Amino acid sequence: MGFFIGDCFCLEYFSLKFLNMKITDVIIIGAGASGLMCAIEAAKRGRSVLILDHANKAGKKILMSGGGRCNFTNYSVEAENYLSNNVHFCKSALSRFTQWDFLAMIQDKEIPYHEREHGRLFCNETSRDVLNMLLDQCHKFGVKIQLSTTIKSIQKDQEEGFIVASEIEKFHCESLIVATGGLSIPKMGATPFGYKIAEQFGIAITATKAGLVPFTWQEQDKEIFAVLSGLALPATLSYAQQSFTENLLFTHRGLSGPVALQISNYWQLGEAVSVNLLPELDLQQSLLEAQTNKVKLKLRNYLTQFLAKKLVPLLLDEKLLDLFLLDLSHKQIALITEKIQNWQVMPNGSEGYRTAEVTVGGVDCTAISSKTLEAKQIPGLYFIGEVLDVTGWLGGYNFQWAWASGWCAGQYV
Ligand SMILES: Cc1cc2nc3c(=O)[nH]c(=O)nc-3n(C[C@H](O)[C@H](O)[C@H](O)COP(=O)(O)OP(=O)(O)OC[C@H]3O[C@@H](n4cnc5c(N)ncnc54)[C@H](O)[C@@H]3O)c2cc1C
């Protein structure tokens, strides 16, 4: 840039160009989970790091995650827990920065945590513990975080690196990391900016949709099922080859609860979801056995041993429910089983990005190195976290992807 000859500082042409620019090795756009992790790792290597974010606070999604307790990772993390058009892409990063590595950070800071069902790990007290841990590390290693900054343009420098222009100043960096996340919860600052940067550099975006999101009822079902609002029960939801068994929640808008969110990642608009309301029971077998044992119960009373009273008449005809078990034909038993264990729900849609936890789809992974997270055709440009076409299941998988991809990029930027 500039150099000294004797006591005289010489401005070569190179430095004139930088005259009104802030110069740093690394700029990260997005002070979320992946951006903060990447910043810490790059700064540990002695790189000067500046994070730019348009929001007025860093890590807003970390704070709101896991109902305020941040489900920060999971005891079991496999590539199978992720969706992507390139299913192998996530393996490299996930194997180099694992759930155990993140857990070691949590333990090192003595953050109290606990395990919930399916190996999910949550803070005991508050998500803020995780955010503070990351911000403390940023501070320790000299990462600069500049909030409330609207980025106007990004240009590739003709010689090297990138020029990032905000509304009021210009920055120059060698490495530019896009960590802008997905589209969910626009109120929290989500924007498609990361996708636009990718497009600007000729990188494709795979189709995006709201993920980990509740389903909405068809108009006619809304009235029918309104009475069930608030009812929760364990269920298996299946779509295509994928099934999940967890709690299902009826809401006045549609179907929610962890199991609905899980299957929403896979579901395609205009298709039915299969709902098994008695996942622990072989209903057909159980009804046949009841007949053999001459159980003197009406179907309604039999079913309400297992299912909520108000749910049963919404699925089966009143006349059928008034029959005694002994009077049921095999055909009727098959029909009852089908209605309860393979109930075909045709959602009208999903609640969309307003309430979705993630975005399915994103920056096409085939254009990105799975080892460094650098764009294969654009040296110095990196994409990490949810902006990429890598979407995790519910259960701490999305944060684990953010930590892992951020950590890996941090070793190279
Ligand atoms: C309600 C909710 C609960 C969740 N709970 C969990 C959970 O418990 N466990 C889990 O694993 N996952 C959870 N997730 C998902 C998880 O929060 C995300 O997958 C994760 O935060 C993605 O990290 P990221 O760094 O890619 O993006 P983010 O953390 O979203 O960070 C992106 C950053 O980029 C900034 N940004 C965006 N656009 C611009 C722009 N134009 N200019 C400058 N800055 C910009 C944003 O302000 C933000 O700070 C939850 C999500 C939501 C919405």
Side-chain angles (χ1 to χ4, degrees):
M1 301 182 195
F3 54 92
F4 281 94
I5 300 176
D7 289 329
C8 171
F9 184 74
C10 299
L11 282 175
E12 48 178 325
Y13 115 95
F14 206 54
S15 55
L16 283 173
K17 189 178 75 180
F18 290 121
L19 213 51
N20 291 316
M21 274 191 222
K22 286 188 175 164
I23 299 163
T24 182
D25 294 333
V26 178
I27 287 182
I28 299 174
I29 307 178
S34 62
L36 293 171
M37 180 59 100
C38 180
I40 294 163
E41 288 304 308
K44 275 187 194 168
R45 290 173 39 238
R47 305 286 278 158
S48 56
V49 182
L50 172 67
I51 307 182
L52 300 175
D53 199 305
H54 69 158
N56 58 355
K57 281 187 193 128
K60 283 191 179 183
K61 277 196 188 163
I62 297 176
L63 288 180
M64 74 189 301
S65 67
R69 294 243 160 85
C70 188
N71 176 196
F72 53 80
T73 193
N74 194 294
Y75 273 141
S76 164
V77 178
E78 305 290 341
E80 289 68 41
N81 303 126
Y82 293 87
L83 293 82
S84 173
N85 277 352
N86 180 349
V87 290
H88 302 293
F89 180 80
C90 64
K91 290 180 182 171
S92 173
L94 291 174
S95 68
R96 281 178 296 142
F97 186 84
T98 68
Q99 66 274 38
W100 309 113
D101 294 316
F102 193 75
L103 195 52
M105 289 174 68
I106 294 281
Q107 288 168 341
D108 188 50
K109 292 287 162 238
E110 297 181 355
I111 294 175
Y113 68 94
H114 62 278
E115 180 188 358
R116 293 195 194 161
E117 68 285 5
H118 306 287
R120 295 165 187 168
L121 299 181
F122 287 78
C123 295
N124 283 1
E125 284 156 20
T126 162
S127 307
R128 189 164 281 287
D129 286 346
V130 172
L131 180 59
N132 284 348
M133 172 184 81
L134 296 167
L135 292 176
D136 287 351
Q137 292 276 301
C138 282
H139 184 69
K140 181 174 167 189
F141 294 105
V143 173
K144 292 199 176 72
I145 302 177
Q146 186 171 317
L147 300 169
S148 305
T149 301
T150 305
I151 296 166
K152 283 286 178 210
S153 71
I154 288 168
Q155 273 172 268
K156 184 115 185 64
D157 188 341
Q158 278 170 355
E159 279 95 29
E160 199 199 11
F162 299 85
I163 297 164
V164 178
S166 78
E167 273 172 332
I168 46 178
E169 57 198 330
K170 279 189 177 177
F171 307 88
H172 187 279
C173 61
E174 283 172 25
S175 300
L176 180 66
I177 293 84
V178 181
T180 46
L183 296 170
S184 65
I185 327 269
K187 261 201 213 157
M188 285 290 138
T191 70
F193 192 51
Y195 308 139
K196 294 206 172 120
I197 299 172
E199 279 168 351
Q200 178 187 338
F201 289 98
I203 297 167
I205 306 298
T206 66
T208 51
K209 63 164 191 175
L212 298 181
V213 63
F215 292 114
T216 52
W217 295 122
Q218 299 277 353
E219 212 42 57
Q220 67 272 21
D221 290 340
K222 216 187 239 176
E223 259 176 53
I224 300 171
F225 294 104
V227 58
L228 299 180
S229 229
L231 176 71
L233 73 168
T236 299
L237 265 60
S238 309
Y239 174 78
Q241 303 307 313
Q242 203 65 45
S243 280
F244 294 93
T245 303
E246 292 199 51
N247 262 353
L248 177 69
L249 174 69
F250 287 83
T251 72
H252 61 281
R253 282 194 290 265
L255 290 176
S256 186
V259 74
L261 302 197
Q262 295 281 37
I263 209 72
S264 73
N265 273 354
Y266 292 88
W267 175 75
Q268 295 295 334
L269 188 65
E271 303 270 345
V273 173
S274 161
V275 179
N276 178 352
L277 294 164
L278 290 173
E280 301 295 330
L281 189 75
D282 183 338
L283 183 59
Q284 185 157 19
Q285 186 64 25
S286 170
L287 285 167
L288 290 170
E289 277 172 17
Q291 284 188 326
T292 313
N293 297 331
K294 307 215 177 340
V295 173
K296 289 191 183 98
L297 273 180
K298 284 187 174 175
L299 177 63
R300 180 192 310 276
N301 299 336
Y302 181 77
L303 289 176
T304 51
Q305 296 178 104
F306 313 112
L307 291 168
K309 253 187 191 164
K310 48 189 178 179
L311 169 62
V312 172
L314 299 184
L315 300 171
L316 294 167
D317 190 77
E318 293 283 350
K319 276 190 199 145
L320 188 62
L321 288 170
D322 281 334
L323 292 180
F324 281 97
L325 295 184
L326 286 167
D327 297 330
L328 294 174
S329 67
H330 281 198
K331 202 172 155 193
Q332 283 169 321
I333 288 179
L335 175 97
I336 295 159
T337 306
E338 186 68 11
K339 290 272 179 171
I340 292 177
Q341 298 206 295
N342 186 20
W343 175 31
Q344 297 293 305
V345 176
M346 179 71 88
N348 187 41
S350 81
E351 288 189 7
Y353 291 114
R354 189 179 58 82
T355 61
E357 285 198 12
V358 288
T359 300
V360 179
V363 172
D364 184 357
C365 298
T366 55
I368 310 294
S369 156
S370 62
K371 186 176 172 208
T372 63
L373 285 303
E374 190 176 21
K376 288 175 185 166
Q377 303 300 327
I378 317 287
L381 181 64
Y382 296 75
F383 290 85
I384 55 174
E386 202 186 309
V387 73
L388 285 161
D389 170 27
V390 175
T391 310
W393 290 4
L394 187 83
Y397 299 103
N398 286 294
F399 277 136
Q400 187 56 39
W401 170 246
W403 315 136
S405 57
W407 186 92
C408 287
Q411 312 307 312
Y412 297 95
V413 296

